[in-house]
Amino acid sequence: MSAHDPHYSVSITRRDIHFDQQTIPRHWFGGDVHRTRLFDAMSLMFPEGERFFIESVRHYRERIAGDETLNAEVRAFIGQEAMHSREHAAYNARLAQQNVGAAELEAEALSNLNLAREKASPAQRLAMTLCLEHFTAMLANEVLSQRDLFANADAEMARMWRWHALEETEHKAVAFDVFRRVFGEGWRPYLLRSWIMLSVSFYFTVHVWSFLIRLVRRDGHGSDWRGWLRLLGFMFGRPGPFRKVFPAWFAWFKPGFHPWQHDNRELLEPLRGEYAA
């Protein structure tokens, strides 16, 4: 499916929303340390990660200059990612006040991305971007489809994560379409995006767990095995958002794959009014 297929259309809206970070409880996910720190660990990667995505896509703006529709989508993508970076920076500033090593972990995330900037080619960096965008889109689908996922969470934090999921879904194909427009659909770009997905899957998983474990330890709950078991049950049992992404992950490796082959536009409409700009 092409992003410009007449049967497919989705608007990508930049929403300039500020979330209140002043009254968020320390363990905002129903008082559960491990669930809270799982999402906190991901947030620590986002501000610099979103900037990396913007850079990687922007590098190819001249190569897609003749495609007005894709250019408009890229502008909207950049606008959304800039807002995500700003709000997660505020989120992470709150974490930095909790004495859990948040600033050190953010610096580590930046160091990892700077290594990619130094060692990877522009094509590889764009491939990393569309692979990580697929990761966020897979998780966003679970956030949007499981409306009770944040049932016990602080209302403002639940609102923030649903906003992020909404916009990640809206723009889930943009980096992919830039890559396809620039490099085509032959076996070389297929092998590149497949190899990068395997690498990204490994490193993303390692870094999330590393950040999570260090946050929980600094929070004084590293040896709480019941908490760890509850977290694993949440992730892979019920509701199981991390278990449920596996079919979408495997779909990536199908020749001819496109993100909108999983058409979940019906999940967007209930939230668009809530986050009207």
Side-chain angles (χ1 to χ4, degrees):
M1 179 187 295
S2 166
H4 307 142
D5 189 304
H7 300 293
Y8 153 73
S9 177
V10 62
S11 61
I12 304 172
T13 304
R14 176 186 178 276
R15 300 169 180 87
D16 188 2
I17 302 174
H18 291 268
F19 294 89
D20 181 7
Q21 296 286 335
Q22 302 304 311
T23 60
I24 306 299
R26 181 183 182 92
H27 302 133
W28 56 265
F29 206 138
D32 189 294
V33 175
H34 296 74
R35 290 190 193 185
T36 297
R37 297 310 182 192
L38 170 64
F39 286 89
D40 292 349
M42 291 189 287
S43 179
L44 288 169
M45 298 179 178
F46 284 151
E48 292 301 333
E50 309 284 18
R51 294 185 187 105
F52 181 87
F53 299 163
I54 291 170
E55 292 169 11
S56 300
V57 171
R58 185 178 277 154
H59 180 84
Y60 288 99
R61 290 292 290 273
E62 291 185 4
R63 299 279 295 274
I64 63 168
D67 189 329
E68 293 182 4
T69 301
L70 185 55
N71 260 290
E73 291 175 350
V74 165
R75 287 193 296 272
F77 166 86
I78 290 172
Q80 287 189 337
E81 296 291 50
M83 294 300 98
H84 298 172
S85 182
R86 184 192 71 191
E87 292 308 298
H88 280 279
Y91 182 148
N92 298 344
R94 175 175 56 81
L95 294 180
Q97 299 172 2
Q98 297 180 4
N99 194 31
V100 290
E104 294 92 332
L105 295 177
E106 271 203 296
E108 184 175 322
L110 175 58
S111 177
N112 292 332
L113 289 169
N114 283 340
L115 185 63
R117 290 181 173 106
E118 178 185 348
K119 300 294 186 181
S121 69
Q124 290 169 331
R125 295 197 297 271
L126 181 60
M128 291 171 62
T129 295
L130 58 106
C131 289
L132 287 165
E133 283 291 302
H134 188 57
F135 256 92
T136 55
M138 291 189 299
L139 293 172
N141 183 73
E142 297 309 312
V143 170
L144 298 180
S145 61
Q146 300 187 49
R147 290 290 294 173
D148 60 348
L149 189 69
F150 291 108
N152 297 320
D154 175 82
E156 189 71 354
M157 291 305 295
R159 184 168 172 262
M160 181 176 180
W161 282 103
R162 289 192 182 107
W163 160 77
H164 197 152
L166 167 66
E167 296 195 347
E168 289 296 334
T169 302
E170 286 180 342
H171 72 232
K172 69 179 180 177
V174 174
F176 190 98
D177 285 328
V178 171
F179 181 84
R180 187 173 60 173
R181 173 74 184 227
V182 172
F183 298 106
E185 300 183 70
W187 65 271
R188 288 180 183 273
Y190 168 75
L191 290 178
L192 176 60
R193 70 172 179 84
S194 295
W195 168 246
I196 294 291
M197 177 57 87
L198 292 173
S199 300
V200 161
S201 298
F202 174 77
Y203 286 108
F204 178 81
T205 302
V206 167
H207 288 135
V208 167
W209 276 99
S210 173
F211 281 26
L212 166 63
I213 290 168
R214 283 184 277 176
L215 286 172
V216 172
R217 283 178 175 171
R218 288 287 295 269
D219 217 6
H221 293 265
S223 60
D224 178 4
W225 297 109
R226 290 182 179 178
W228 288 113
L229 289 173
R230 285 195 304 271
L231 177 64
L232 290 172
F234 169 80
M235 294 173 68
F236 300 106
R238 292 185 179 180
F242 287 78
R243 167 178 54 84
K244 292 178 180 178
V245 303
F246 280 107
W249 185 85
F250 282 111
W252 179 267
F253 299 95
K254 181 178 69 175
F257 168 83
H258 187 274
W260 281 109
Q261 286 171 349
H262 177 213
D263 187 353
N264 58 349
R265 286 173 293 171
E266 76 282 354
L267 298 177
L268 302 178
E269 292 308 322
L271 285 178
R272 280 178 165 158
E274 180 180 343
Y275 297 103

